[in-house]
Structures are given as C-alpha cells and as structure tokens.
C-alpha cells in the first residue's frame, strides 16, 4: 500500500533590503507615480504601499520574521494515523 506524504512547500523568500531601499527612494523623490515605479521594478503596487506603511510605523524596511508561530499540523505518528 502506497502512502501519500505531504511535503511542506517552500515559502517564497522576501525581497532584499536593497531593492526595498531603491523602491522607497524612488517613491520619496516623487518624480514618478507609484504605478510607474511598480512597473519598472516589476512589483505589485500593494507591495510598495505595504513597505511605505512598514517604514512609517517601524522606521525599518526589514521583512517580517517569525510570524508563523501557530500549531504545526504535521502528522507525527503515521502508523497510528493510518490505523485510525
């Protein structure tokens, strides 16, 4: 009997800080619209607004870390689970 084992998919990595800095500098210059900046850097407009909000609230542009602290839903004992 074959068992299907679910693998955890890797989360995409966060954007690097140097990219965040370049984008926010372009926004601060106010020579282009945020829509145009998003097209140049190939980012979603919402991402740029979230970075601006984070910088305003925390004075940092570093990505969030350790935000997923919930219960891990991994099956610990596969044999007992199969018998169940």
């Amino acid at each position: 009997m074959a068992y299907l084992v679910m693998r955890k998919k890797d989360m995409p990595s966060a954007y690097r800080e140097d990219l965040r800095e370049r984008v926010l500098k372009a926004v601060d210059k106010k020579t282009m619209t945020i829509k145009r900046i998003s097209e140049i850097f190939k980012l979603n407009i919402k991402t740029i607004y979230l970075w601006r909000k984070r910088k305003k609230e925390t004075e940092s542009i570093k990505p969030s870390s350790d935000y997923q602290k919930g219960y891990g839903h991994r099956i610990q004992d596969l044999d007992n689970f199969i018998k169940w």
Side-chain angles (χ1 to χ4, degrees):
M1 176 187 258
Y3 299 108
L4 177 65
V5 178
M6 299 297 289
R7 288 189 173 182
K8 182 180 174 183
K9 291 185 179 182
D10 293 331
M11 294 286 297
S13 60
Y15 291 104
R16 297 186 338 231
E17 284 185 56
D18 65 320
L19 173 65
R20 294 169 184 241
E21 289 173 4
R22 286 185 285 144
V23 169
L24 292 177
K25 279 182 186 177
V27 170
D28 291 340
K29 286 183 182 178
K30 297 182 181 179
T31 56
M32 293 182 277
T33 64
I34 291 181
K35 183 176 187 331
R36 180 69 183 130
I37 293 169
S38 71
E39 292 168 354
I40 291 170
F41 287 98
K42 295 181 173 76
L43 296 169
N44 190 308
I45 293 173
K46 186 175 179 181
T47 301
I48 297 173
Y49 280 109
L50 289 173
W51 290 350
R52 284 178 60 196
K53 181 180 177 187
R54 174 173 287 142
K55 185 175 181 181
K56 184 178 178 182
E57 292 175 353
T58 66
E59 297 293 323
S60 174
I61 56 171
K62 292 186 176 187
S64 299
S65 62
D66 298 329
Y67 58 91
Q68 293 178 332
K69 295 192 177 201
Y71 176 76
H73 298 286
R74 181 183 238 173
I75 298 170
Q76 300 296 328
D77 190 357
L78 187 59
D79 292 329
N80 281 336
F81 178 76
I82 292 169
K83 289 177 186 175
W84 178 68

